[in-house]
Amino acid sequence: MAEKLYIGTNTKMYKTIAETVRFLEKLGQNTADIPRQELVLFVIPSFTALERAKGVIKGESILLGAQNMCWEDQGQFTGEVSPLMLKEVGVQIVEIGHSERRHVFGEDDETENKKVLTALRHGFTALLCIGETAQQKEYGIADEVLRTQLKIGLHGVTENLLPRCMIAYEPVWAIGASGTPASREYAEEKHTVIRDTLKELYGGAAAMVPLLYGGSVNNANAVELIEMNNIDGLFIGRSAWDADNFTAIIRDVLPAFRQKH
Ligand code: 13P
């Protein structure tokens, strides 16, 4: 079980620079009293907002992430963003393999693996997102899919780099306006598969990798998810994009997290 509560949001292709700045200022004020020894709070805005975002975050109270990254440092990769550029801005987390990257933009596990290795090589925390589609769930191969995504995604990641890895389990069918949130029992079952796969790969070190659930997390289901043994955090889209609502969720889940420890 991870020692801290991990909560973050990916703002996808929403929020302009100005909106991101306002959101971060408000979130920072709203959560200023929450001790960061027990909470890792992160926000992953659009690329264009990263530099200004970095400027308004106080210290490490909110970690800043990028939604994607190229696996090469530089080169003829029109439209891509290099790890060096993200480092220059001061990004701490790189999100890799979000469902929309995989299923809208066709990224595969081998690509995610290259990005994970590059992110770690540059000192970032790699947030690897995995999850089965509705069809894969229907076929009964969700566990196999998760194990494959993990084993390829983390291929070549040595145990000493594991403290800079986070895994987000985001079932594709649960994400977004047309998604249905996973029940806490289902989410816990899949988080257990993920934990067991990590144990197979890394032994005891697997216990400390934060496993976050994402996919239609909202004010009604956040607490019951966090109560589960293998759910160490939440990765939230829509319900987090209003700073006050995001804060309400964080404050709701903190007591449930503390109870587990
Ligand atoms: P929603 O919470 O809007 O379903 O999005 C989840 C997500 O994709 C976070 O990365």
Side-chain angles (χ1 to χ4, degrees):
M1 196 185 295
E3 302 205 322
K4 295 184 181 188
L5 173 64
Y6 290 76
I7 301 199
T9 183
N10 153 26
T11 65
K12 308 194 180 186
M13 202 174 72
Y14 294 98
K15 291 196 190 294
T16 61
I17 298 173
E19 286 164 349
T20 303
V21 165
R22 273 199 298 276
F23 173 74
L24 282 166
E25 282 173 345
K26 191 107 195 277
L27 186 63
Q29 285 159 10
N30 283 354
T31 61
D33 64 309
I34 302 175
R36 296 313 200 252
Q37 299 96 283
E38 60 176 356
L39 172 70
V40 176
L41 179 60
F42 62 94
V43 172
I44 310 187
S46 64
F47 285 118
T48 54
L50 285 174
E51 190 175 3
R52 290 278 304 281
K54 189 69 191 174
V56 298
I57 293 172
K58 294 205 166 47
E60 304 233 309
S61 57
I62 300 174
L63 301 183
L64 188 64
Q67 295 180 13
N68 188 17
M69 183 196 70
C70 187
W71 60 87
E72 291 288 346
D73 290 0
Q74 58 180 18
Q76 298 170 92
F77 297 101
T78 303
E80 289 292 304
V81 174
S82 145
L84 302 178
M85 297 164 187
L86 296 179
K87 239 192 213 174
E88 190 180 19
V89 179
V91 159
Q92 291 118 325
I93 297 171
V94 180
E95 180 181 358
I96 295 163
H98 186 272
S99 148
E100 288 141 27
R101 296 305 317 166
R102 293 175 186 266
H103 300 290
V104 183
F105 298 100
E107 292 185 12
D108 60 17
D109 287 321
E110 287 74 15
T111 305
E112 314 310 2
N113 178 236
K114 286 197 278 186
K115 295 183 181 194
V116 166
L117 292 173
T118 299
L120 294 172
R121 178 163 56 81
H122 283 283
F124 298 114
T125 290
L127 171 58
L128 176 64
C129 305
I130 61 174
E132 81 282 5
T133 64
Q135 195 176 39
Q136 289 163 335
K137 179 171 181 267
E138 176 67 25
Y139 288 149
I141 57 167
D143 295 3
E144 286 88 337
V145 169
L146 297 176
R147 288 169 57 77
T148 301
Q149 290 178 336
L150 277 175
K151 287 191 168 187
I152 301 178
L154 296 176
H155 185 72
V157 174
T158 47
E159 190 183 317
N160 63 314
L161 294 172
L162 213 52
R164 280 196 283 113
C165 293
M166 304 197 287
I167 305 293
Y169 169 57
E170 301 202 292
V172 180
W173 47 269
I175 296 174
S178 55
T180 319
S183 69
R184 68 184 200 153
E185 291 77 19
Y186 187 89
E188 173 67 5
E189 186 189 300
K190 298 307 164 211
H191 277 232
T192 306
V193 169
I194 295 168
R195 187 78 75 196
D196 287 347
T197 307
L198 292 174
K199 274 189 205 149
E200 195 183 312
L201 296 172
Y202 298 102
M208 287 306 167
V209 179
L211 306 185
L212 284 65
Y213 170 79
S216 295
V217 173
N218 56 43
N219 303 62
N221 63 13
V223 171
E224 57 178 36
L225 284 161
I226 277 298
E227 283 170 351
M228 305 311 275
N229 227 7
N230 280 304
I231 302 183
D232 304 308
L234 301 171
F235 193 23
I236 313 177
R238 292 156 294 149
S239 298
W241 296 340
D242 172 81
D244 288 337
N245 200 57
F246 192 19
T247 309
I249 292 178
I250 296 166
R251 291 196 186 279
D252 280 353
V253 299
L254 264 171
F257 164 77
R258 287 181 190 135
Q259 199 122 60
K260 276 203 300 192
H261 284 74

